[in-house]
Amino acid sequence: MTTSSSAEAAQQGRPWWADATGYEVYLRSFADGTGDGLGDLRGLRERLDHLEWLGVDLVWVTPFYPSPMHDHGYDVADYTGVDPRFGDLADFDALVAAVHARGLRLVIDLVPNHTSSAHPWFAAARSSRDNPYRDYYIWRDPAADGGPPNNWTSHFGGPAWTYDEATGQYWLHLFLPEQPDLNWRNPAVAAEFDAILRFWLERGVDGFRIDVAHMLVKHPDYPDLPLAAEPQRSPQGTTSEHLSLDHIYDVDQPEVLDVYRRWRKIADAYGALLLGEVYVLDIDRLARYVVDRDGLHLSFWFAPLHLGWDVARLRTALREGAAVAPGSVSWVLASHDRPRPPTRFGGGDLGRACSLAATTLLLGLPGTPFLFQGEELGLTDGELTLAEAQDPVALHTGDPRAGRDGCRTPIPWEPGAGHGFTTAPEPWLAFGRRTPADTVAVQRADEDSWLHRYRALLAARRAHPDLRTGEAVWLTDDGPVLAYRRGAAVVAANCGDEPASLDLPEGTWTVRFGTDRQREAAQVAGAVDLAPTEAVILTRE
Ligand code: NOJ
């Protein structure tokens, strides 16, 4: 079954995801259907009403596979199973059926860069140097001084190599030691994943979100990384050894594109979507993954998610994504890995207003936008103490704000104990001090809530085909207002802190969506005035 907007796309020869609005479900924190404090597949199935009511088309669910959970499921011990804490394969099948019955699509998370160290492949690989599985992973002899083979670092801190006493070599892990990297130069690994893709496609999934899709292949010589000319900064503004290196050999190697050419043939036979988490902030490099029509169908474009409320940088990020890879980027402002946008944009109602304005801009651009669960509620990061932290990044640094827990706290469905998320005495991760006004129940009862505004925005995108087809033509090159025209639609936001005005193309324009909902249905001509953080979608009949 298809949604109204994806059916329309199909009729016009565009793929179903071209018109979709996606929604990321961070499974552990969405809804607990079994009362153990952890979100699960049953809980998600029971809450699909919310997603259908909100008006999304495509649900991406984070990993549910058997895992020791060192990285909360991004350490997979069995690619074709379901961890009992999340349910079983019957629950998965029931979820697929329920999603499809509502005309929605389901995309699952595939984690091909690394396995869990508890995966049987790694246990075999570690057992001896001549085990047939040894070459599924990346092993190197110690350097002359006995230390790691090169200066590569883990994303989570410390060296990217761990020494195996029993076999006298180091294994590579670009994340935790418990997440050994697979050797994608070994054809046997590629063959294993062909079968994994087919396994889930046969079970009815509509596509894959590919974890760290730019990282699978490494430089064959494993050279030391040079220092970066300009060190990057974490979302908290800190730097680290990892951020000070120029990652030219450990990620984004040209051969990784061959993996997606191979997968494309498999996915296309099922009409399924390949959506990459290509964490490359240079749009020309990112475009290589999507524009040749034989690689990934879509990639997330993370530049907007890295920004504070900075109109010049936001303008550049949006224009680049829309121009260099038109229709092939997935727009995101939030994820389970970064501070929530209202927090990044200053917190409170001001941060929420900035987030809604930025989302309005993203939703009309060529490409497939995604919301992250809780974005529709205007949630800021949950406030957690170090004792409440769960993320390995927080535990490693001893700083709860350095970790990713703040954006991962469970969804507050309703006020009160358990917040309608769980019946267990405690959720797996604390709620982070939510108020009744943060909850779905309270916001649904209030037509003026953030939740209703996000819903109205999604409805406007669905109702106006011009917002989903054709080129985006920018109407401003500088100043506080970001605005573009697509066919007979104009999308505009005032990203400054003073009132501003946008000159409109000729004709009379109707407000189809306004962050100030009182303006909807009003007609304007000549120019539209916008208060600070106000955004509108206008159409001309
Ligand atoms: C990206 C995922 O989004 C993140 O949560 C995870 O820790 C890393 N990849 C490693 O799999």
Side-chain angles (χ1 to χ4, degrees):
M1 192 183 269
T2 51
T3 62
S4 52
S5 47
S6 55
E8 196 175 299
Q11 276 162 17
Q12 295 169 9
R14 298 196 304 283
W16 59 264
W17 55 83
D19 285 6
T21 300
Y23 185 96
E24 176 189 353
V25 167
Y26 187 66
L27 186 63
R28 304 175 65 86
S29 293
F30 191 67
D32 170 15
T34 57
D36 64 354
L38 186 70
D40 48 41
L41 296 176
R42 187 162 131 195
L44 168 55
R45 179 159 51 86
E46 290 169 352
R47 291 287 188 181
L48 289 176
D49 259 349
H50 173 70
L51 302 183
E52 193 179 359
W53 177 85
L54 179 61
V56 301
D57 308 289
L58 149 59
V59 180
W60 149 35
V61 60
T62 55
F64 48 77
Y65 311 103
S67 165
M69 307 287 170
H70 289 291
D71 189 18
H72 295 135
Y74 284 94
D75 45 329
V76 177
D78 173 4
Y79 287 96
T80 55
V82 174
D83 192 287
R85 287 164 281 192
F86 294 131
D88 56 22
L89 279 172
D91 289 312
F92 183 81
D93 292 342
L95 175 66
V96 173
V99 165
H100 288 167
R102 287 167 189 269
L104 308 177
R105 305 278 189 159
L106 185 70
V107 162
I108 64 171
D109 218 312
L110 188 69
V111 189
N113 179 67
H114 43 268
T115 69
S116 161
S117 53
H119 196 292
W121 298 339
F122 191 69
R126 211 176 165 174
S127 67
S128 78
R129 285 199 189 199
D130 52 14
N131 185 282
Y133 285 95
R134 182 79 172 177
D135 198 35
Y136 271 41
Y137 296 88
I138 297 167
W139 300 92
R140 286 289 173 280
D141 289 334
D145 64 357
N150 67 20
N151 70 349
W152 294 10
T153 47
S154 153
H155 284 246
F156 292 157
W161 299 93
T162 292
Y163 187 63
D164 182 48
E165 292 282 348
T167 59
Q169 285 189 310
Y170 283 83
W171 77 82
L172 179 70
H173 52 86
L174 294 182
F175 293 94
L176 295 173
E178 293 84 0
Q179 294 169 294
D181 279 50
L182 284 163
N183 174 15
W184 273 90
R185 293 184 185 273
N186 178 353
V189 169
E192 296 276 11
F193 274 84
D194 289 354
I196 292 164
L197 260 71
R198 289 201 174 93
F199 176 87
W200 293 108
L201 289 166
E202 286 294 325
R203 286 201 110 84
V205 305
D206 298 297
F208 302 94
R209 174 267 188 189
I210 302 152
D211 192 59
V212 291
H214 58 306
M215 289 175 61
L216 274 51
V217 180
K218 283 80 182 169
H219 192 288
D221 302 331
Y222 297 87
D224 273 347
L225 296 172
L227 281 176
E230 212 182 309
Q232 290 178 28
R233 296 205 167 265
S234 74
Q236 289 74 25
T238 56
T239 187
S240 66
E241 191 187 354
H242 185 76
L243 294 173
S244 70
L245 293 170
D246 195 2
H247 293 272
I248 53 174
Y249 301 129
D250 52 347
V251 303
D252 195 25
Q253 301 299 297
E255 299 91 329
V256 73
L257 301 174
D258 296 335
V259 176
Y260 304 124
R261 291 194 185 104
R262 179 178 178 124
W263 289 6
R264 178 69 175 258
K265 293 191 190 108
I266 298 173
D268 280 353
Y270 291 84
L273 167 65
L274 296 178
L275 165 62
E277 188 210 18
V278 181
Y279 225 111
V280 171
L281 296 175
D282 173 328
I283 190 70
D284 294 310
R285 294 196 73 80
L286 179 127
R288 292 150 50 237
Y289 290 77
V290 287
V291 296
D292 280 345
R293 313 268 164 237
D294 64 352
L296 298 174
H297 299 104
L298 281 177
S299 169
F300 286 113
W301 166 230
F302 287 107
L305 177 148
H306 272 249
L307 302 177
W309 192 240
D310 175 334
V311 60
R313 293 180 69 202
L314 194 57
R315 173 179 278 118
T316 305
L318 301 193
R319 289 180 84 139
E320 285 186 349
V324 181
S328 302
V329 292
S330 263
W331 299 100
V332 267
L333 218 49
S335 81
H336 65 281
D337 288 329
R338 290 270 158 180
R340 286 186 175 274
T343 298
R344 295 203 310 273
F345 296 153
D349 277 349
L350 179 64
R352 294 186 177 100
C354 295
S355 304
L356 181 58
T359 304
T360 307
L361 288 168
L362 298 187
L363 254 80
L365 287 171
T368 304
F370 269 74
L371 294 181
F372 169 52
Q373 67 183 37
E375 232 181 318
E376 72 275 26
L377 301 170
L379 293 183
T380 51
D381 274 358
E383 289 167 34
L384 300 169
T385 62
L386 184 57
E388 291 169 328
Q390 300 280 348
D391 182 25
V393 179
L395 302 177
H396 186 87
T397 56
D399 175 0
R401 286 164 313 139
R404 301 164 293 178
D405 292 310
C407 63
R408 296 176 173 184
T409 55
I411 291 296
W413 293 95
E414 56 191 47
H419 275 306
F421 166 76
T422 185
T423 53
E426 296 293 337
W428 75 279
L429 175 66
F431 288 103
R433 288 150 194 87
R434 295 302 182 200
T435 66
D438 288 327
T439 65
V440 176
V442 169
Q443 294 204 25
R444 246 186 106 150
D446 173 7
E447 289 276 334
D448 200 32
S449 64
W450 297 102
L451 178 57
H452 277 273
R453 288 182 228 185
Y454 276 89
R455 182 174 186 243
L457 173 58
L458 265 54
R461 172 176 154 90
R462 223 181 229 187
H464 299 289
D466 280 11
L467 292 169
R468 309 190 307 268
T469 48
E471 194 190 345
V473 179
W474 292 88
L475 299 176
T476 57
D477 288 326
D478 50 26
V481 176
L482 290 188
Y484 57 88
R485 177 181 178 170
R486 270 189 105 180
V490 163
V491 181
N494 177 1
C495 304
D497 45 21
E498 299 288 336
S501 177
L502 170 74
D503 289 338
L504 290 171
E506 208 172 294
T508 301
W509 297 80
T510 305
V511 180
R512 299 297 179 184
F513 168 75
T515 51
D516 172 2
R517 306 264 340 262
Q518 306 296 325
R519 292 188 79 168
E520 284 172 13
Q523 298 203 319
V524 281
V528 60
D529 294 329
L530 296 167
T533 72
E534 185 176 7
V536 287
I537 295 177
L538 312 170
T539 64
R540 190 174 59 188
E541 300 314 323

